[in-house]
Amino acid sequence: MDRYRVKQKSKINLKDHDPDDQSFFDAGKEAGRIHLKELNIDLMSLQNVLYAEHKHKILIVLQGMDTSGKDGTIKHVFLGVNPQGVRIANFKVPTSIELDHDYLWRVHHQVPGKGEITIFNRSHYEDLLVVRVHALVAKEIWSKRFSQINDFERLLSEEGTTVLKFFLHIDQDEQKKRLQARLDDPDKRWKFRKGDLEERKLWAQYILAYEDVLSKTSTPYAPWYIIPSNRKWYRNLVIGTILIDTLKKLEMRYPTPEDDLSGITIT
Ligand code: AMP
Ligand code: MG
């Protein structure tokens, strides 16, 4: 899965990354869906031992334009996983109390504890994306955040957190289709917000902000992956596979019971 990993300090131009790419799995959508079910089962058992071992902490960051599929990824990749050990943290427009603090204040206490997987649906990266595009703080302030975030993620990593960051890459045509579907489908209409159309006009500025984030904050301890996401099934497969490969490398074990259990009979 190295093909989608952003090398440290590489200059990312998203034009060089095809959101329609299918090079990792070319058997098509139906086969892809079947394969995802197998990945769901693998993830279930890996998460079980992660929880039992109570040692590793897994942080997954999901970022992408509106409609890029952050919610869909959570729904489909984590299907069947025991909710006991998985937590979702949604980062919305900061509250006034949050705005009174530094931007990492609301983030740090949401990071995973031992045995836990935490999924960030949006994240501290919004403070280099929406905040930059809308000039919500001055450039002198936000431009320092690349290195601050790298330092923060290094701290998490050195304290035992595995960090994976996924940028869900769609193109503007795909967003148009998905916004249209939200308008047309009564079950999706609740997701449509007029403000999304205003954000869509800022597409080019968002792309520049994302390219900067991807170029400057992919590190060996907290890598970014650029996920081709025009096809939802492919996006799910790639993210599921990267996650499972990463969990397998941790070589987790069920803990041995505290007491010697041999010879016990339950009456
Ligand atoms: P959604 O994820 O679609 O529910 O929308 C959440 C909204 O919160 C998005 O429009 C984000 O841009 C916005 N948001 C998240 N974090 C921040 C932040 N730090 N500053 C300003 N807006 C934010
Ligand atoms: Mg949204």
Side-chain angles (χ1 to χ4, degrees):
M1 274 305 157
D2 261 10
R3 75 187 78 188
Y4 299 127
R5 186 182 168 123
V6 178
K7 313 277 174 304
Q8 191 169 25
K9 294 194 177 126
S10 52
K11 183 78 197 81
I12 292 298
N13 185 337
L14 283 168
K15 284 205 182 72
D16 302 333
H17 297 259
D18 179 9
D20 280 306
D21 181 61
Q22 287 182 62
S23 59
F24 151 74
F25 192 89
D26 52 16
K29 184 172 172 172
E30 280 321 306
R33 288 220 166 119
I34 293 166
H35 186 49
L36 183 64
K37 284 190 184 144
E38 293 162 9
L39 293 181
N40 287 147
I41 292 167
D42 285 351
L43 188 58
M44 268 186 235
S45 51
L46 283 161
Q47 189 257 338
N48 220 22
V49 59
L50 176 90
Y51 186 79
E53 193 183 38
H54 197 71
K55 177 177 171 189
H56 299 281
K57 315 159 192 180
I58 313 294
L59 174 60
I60 297 167
V61 171
L62 297 179
Q63 283 288 163
M65 302 285 196
D66 288 328
T67 76
S68 61
K70 299 180 288 293
D71 298 335
T73 298
I74 296 171
K75 185 169 165 183
H76 295 287
V77 174
F78 291 87
L79 194 76
V81 166
N82 182 356
Q84 176 105 309
V86 180
R87 199 159 47 80
I88 321 290
N90 292 293
F91 292 96
K92 306 275 183 183
V93 178
T95 64
S96 60
I97 293 174
E98 287 168 348
L99 283 173
D100 282 348
H101 293 78
D102 71 83
Y103 66 101
L104 291 174
W105 181 76
R106 67 170 181 166
V107 175
H108 202 163
H109 78 277
Q110 295 273 20
V111 301
K114 289 178 183 173
E116 197 177 33
I117 299 177
T118 301
I119 304 163
F120 279 9
N121 185 357
R122 301 186 192 267
S123 65
H124 42 300
Y125 285 99
E126 291 294 328
D127 292 282
L128 274 170
L129 295 163
V130 64
V131 167
R132 173 178 177 177
V133 169
H134 288 275
L136 300 179
V137 304
K139 183 174 183 183
E140 300 89 86
I141 305 285
W142 62 252
S143 57
K144 295 195 176 81
R145 292 180 175 173
F146 298 98
S147 61
Q148 289 165 353
I149 287 177
N150 285 338
D151 289 344
F152 171 61
E153 292 176 354
R154 189 167 44 76
L155 162 90
L156 296 179
S157 159
E158 287 173 357
E159 290 283 322
T161 305
T162 300
V163 185
L164 291 174
K165 303 182 296 200
F166 298 113
F167 169 62
L168 312 187
H169 184 31
I170 58 168
D171 59 28
Q172 232 179 335
D173 281 348
E174 184 61 27
Q175 190 191 52
K176 186 177 181 193
K177 285 185 209 150
R178 293 184 187 185
L179 286 172
Q180 190 64 50
R182 285 185 183 182
L183 270 185
D184 297 342
D185 180 344
D187 293 349
K188 288 185 178 164
R189 209 166 279 165
W190 65 274
K191 271 199 164 187
F192 190 89
R193 285 181 311 175
K194 281 189 185 158
D196 290 347
L197 298 181
E198 296 305 309
E199 293 303 287
R200 178 172 161 77
K201 291 183 190 148
L202 300 169
W203 186 273
Q205 280 106 302
Y206 272 105
I207 290 288
L208 283 177
Y210 267 110
E211 286 174 341
D212 232 8
V213 160
L214 295 164
S215 303
K216 292 178 182 162
T217 62
S218 196
T219 55
Y221 51 84
W224 275 108
Y225 292 85
I226 299 174
I227 308 296
S229 299
N230 273 1
R231 292 186 176 80
K232 296 171 182 173
W233 64 268
Y234 188 76
R235 168 203 77 203
N236 294 338
L237 270 192
V238 173
I239 293 178
T241 303
I242 293 169
L243 179 57
I244 284 166
D245 287 354
T246 305
L247 291 175
K248 280 186 177 157
K249 282 195 194 121
L250 297 177
E251 298 186 342
M252 299 177 290
R253 297 276 173 271
Y254 284 102
T256 44
E258 284 174 24
D259 303 313
D260 178 11
L261 305 181
S262 58
I264 291 182
T265 41
I266 299 178
T267 53

